[in-house]
Amino acid sequence: MPKIAYCLPHEISAEQFLAEYWQKKPLLIKNGLPQIVGLLEPQDIIGLAQQEDVTARLVKTEVDQHGAEKWTLKTSPLTQKDFHKLPQQWSVLVQNLEQWSPELGELWQAFGFIPQWQRDDIMVSYAPENGSVGKHYDEYDVFLVQAYGHRRWQLGKWCDPSTEFKADQPIRIFDDMGELVLDDVMAPGDVLYVPSRLSHYGVAQDDCLTVSFGLRYPNLGDLIENINDAICHPTPHFNPSEFTIPLRLSPSEQPSAKLDPAMVADMKRQLLDSLSQSPQFDSLFQHAVASAVSRRRYELLQSDEEFYPEELAEMLQDGATIQQDGNSKILYTEQPFALYVNGEWLDELSETESAVLQDLANGTMLDWAGLQRHTAACHDEMAAELLLDSLCSWLENGWLVLNQA
């Protein structure tokens, strides 16, 4: 697939979007991603939702004789029986869609102005006319792309953890959208950016598919968990020995079974002071952040395809190219230099392997000439063979994808 341009309007640069819109206000982009049109149809998603290993949800809405809505939620595994005798209003949502559609994974390029480590996953929502998942907000930023049919979107107030949801419902929804800041109908190819915590409400105008490109930051829990992992499992590069030194505390004036609040406050102060002044903690924290943000939320499916160095070399010489698979998250740090793939720190890479993965992570397509340049730079006759072996492993792991000529 050829390089896909950013989905932004011509009059808004990536820098302007990040300064004026990102996490500040929504943006509707008419025909921002025409490449999505024709990739999916409703029956594709209904069939996919019933497959093994697919993460899906079926949301149904019924109205009783008093006009009150009753919502029900069924999570995967879903079967054909679940789609029988459905009410008038229902939706099915499938997560991690890039696993099942490489063509959709390629469309992450349209959002390349956001660092790729913020990518969460691609979700699709199918609904017949009047179908919806209610008025809600998300704790992540999202680009909503209309792939099929039409959906009316209303955007309203900003929310926070104190926002009250309807009681006794299986999904987080509410009634009060506040003053609307947008009310429009999206057609195939249209893109709508919705910042985190902005309330929104989508209603299908006909059979429609909406694809969500979600972007997340790690939360404090994620970071604390990864910091703990780094402290409990030290490595040659991250050895947090200074964090095993006991704190220096004065004894309580009146010893008892009570934990002295002043002592707890002193521990907190020493902890924060130690962390803020520790170069070792800076490295450990960077490692924890990189591990957290490169981790996929869904397990990566392994490919059954096998690759062999000789055959791969022939395909590259015949014009094939290799690029990062849209399913995988590859990132690197510079000081110290380290590479991470899907939450794993790759600490045994050669200089050539590191350089190739770094290029691929930055969006480069590796061809035969590029492979030759990388191996020639290290002046090692075995480098090409070893790199081909590694590329075969990375292709089989699902980190990379091969584009046949």
Side-chain angles (χ1 to χ4, degrees):
M1 181 179 287
K3 188 74 173 177
I4 296 172
Y6 291 164
C7 67
L8 297 172
H10 295 300
E11 67 275 13
I12 298 178
S13 67
E15 293 76 16
Q16 185 179 357
F17 174 84
L18 294 173
E20 299 179 13
Y21 292 89
W22 180 247
Q23 299 190 326
K24 295 183 180 72
K25 59 183 179 180
L27 177 64
L28 177 61
I29 309 163
K30 291 294 186 179
N31 201 35
L33 193 55
Q35 296 89 340
I36 204 169
V37 180
L39 288 184
L40 299 170
E41 294 193 357
Q43 288 305 315
D44 298 332
I45 301 308
I46 294 173
L48 181 61
Q50 300 171 46
Q51 290 189 24
E52 188 178 358
D53 297 325
V54 169
T55 302
R57 292 169 288 164
L58 179 61
V59 180
K60 296 182 285 187
T61 319
E62 296 182 78
V63 180
D64 65 21
Q65 58 184 355
H66 304 294
E69 290 181 337
K70 180 182 178 182
W71 295 77
T72 58
L73 172 67
K74 173 74 185 295
T75 58
S76 52
L78 302 177
T79 67
Q80 191 173 10
K81 184 179 179 181
D82 293 314
F83 291 88
H84 290 168
K85 297 182 180 179
L86 290 168
Q88 184 179 5
Q89 298 180 31
W90 61 277
S91 298
V92 63
L93 303 94
V94 177
Q95 302 284 162
N96 197 25
L97 202 64
E98 59 267 55
Q99 281 278 58
W100 310 100
S101 172
E103 294 82 6
L104 271 177
E106 292 281 350
L107 298 186
W108 273 120
Q109 297 177 56
F111 311 100
F113 47 91
I114 307 295
Q116 66 158 298
W117 60 261
Q118 292 181 35
R119 297 175 186 173
D120 188 25
D121 79 317
I122 302 175
M123 182 189 75
V124 63
S125 169
Y126 164 71
E129 185 178 0
N130 295 320
S132 175
V133 294
K135 300 170 183 176
H136 66 286
Y137 75 90
D138 299 311
E139 291 284 2
Y140 55 88
D141 295 82
V142 65
F143 288 91
L144 301 169
V145 185
Q146 197 63 24
Y148 185 98
H150 302 77
R151 193 183 295 258
R152 179 185 179 186
W153 284 100
Q154 294 178 320
L155 276 57
K157 67 180 182 181
W158 291 94
C159 302
D160 58 45
S162 67
T163 300
E164 293 188 6
F165 297 100
K166 284 187 176 182
D168 303 320
Q169 298 289 358
I171 57 177
R172 302 195 319 165
I173 54 174
F174 47 75
D175 288 324
D176 181 19
M177 290 273 290
E179 182 179 354
L180 296 183
V181 297
L182 183 142
D183 188 345
D184 210 324
V185 175
M186 288 175 60
D190 290 350
V191 178
L192 175 61
Y193 166 63
V194 182
S196 171
R197 294 190 176 180
L198 185 66
S199 60
H200 49 286
Y201 178 44
V203 179
Q205 306 299 289
D206 45 30
D207 273 11
C208 85
L209 293 172
T210 304
V211 178
S212 304
F213 291 78
L215 299 127
R216 291 179 186 264
Y217 285 109
N219 58 43
L220 287 176
D222 294 332
L223 294 180
I224 291 171
E225 178 182 351
N226 281 274
I227 290 169
N228 181 65
D229 286 345
I231 291 175
C232 294
H233 303 94
T235 70
H237 294 281
F238 304 100
N239 184 16
S241 57
E242 63 186 81
F243 303 120
T244 64
I245 300 173
L247 300 175
R248 300 179 64 85
L249 298 166
S250 301
S252 175
E253 294 183 0
Q254 296 179 334
S256 70
K258 181 181 73 174
L259 184 61
D260 187 350
M263 190 175 290
V264 173
D266 195 16
M267 289 184 188
K268 177 183 176 182
R269 179 189 59 76
Q270 289 190 55
L271 171 66
L272 297 177
D273 287 349
S274 297
L275 297 184
S276 65
Q277 297 168 14
S278 167
Q280 179 66 20
F281 180 74
D282 288 346
S283 296
L284 185 146
F285 185 71
Q286 178 174 272
H287 174 65
V289 170
S291 298
V293 301
S294 64
R295 185 170 292 126
R296 300 183 79 260
R297 196 151 57 98
Y298 299 94
E299 185 177 350
L300 185 67
L301 297 180
Q302 297 297 308
S303 171
D304 294 330
E305 189 173 3
E306 294 184 355
F307 293 87
Y308 301 96
E310 298 81 4
E311 295 176 0
L312 180 59
E314 290 180 6
M315 287 187 283
L316 290 172
Q317 291 177 62
D318 290 339
T321 59
I322 295 174
Q323 67 184 93
Q324 178 181 344
D325 194 308
N327 295 319
S328 287
K329 299 177 76 172
I330 306 176
L331 64 84
Y332 59 91
T333 61
E334 289 188 331
Q335 295 181 346
F337 180 82
L339 263 157
Y340 299 78
V341 180
N342 300 331
E344 178 185 358
W345 174 36
L346 306 183
D347 59 336
E348 296 182 351
L349 295 175
S350 69
E351 185 176 341
T352 305
E353 290 171 325
S354 295
V356 169
L357 273 179
Q358 183 178 356
D359 279 354
L360 291 167
N362 286 328
T364 299
M365 284 192 177
L366 182 69
D367 56 14
W368 180 250
L371 182 75
Q372 296 295 96
R373 284 195 300 272
H374 276 292
T375 55
C378 65
H379 307 290
D380 185 347
E381 294 181 1
M382 296 291 293
E385 183 177 342
L386 293 173
L387 182 56
L388 283 167
D389 279 336
S390 296
L391 288 169
C392 288
S393 296
W394 300 340
L395 286 163
E396 291 171 358
N397 289 342
W399 301 355
L400 310 177
V401 64
L402 178 69
N403 305 307
Q404 299 277 11

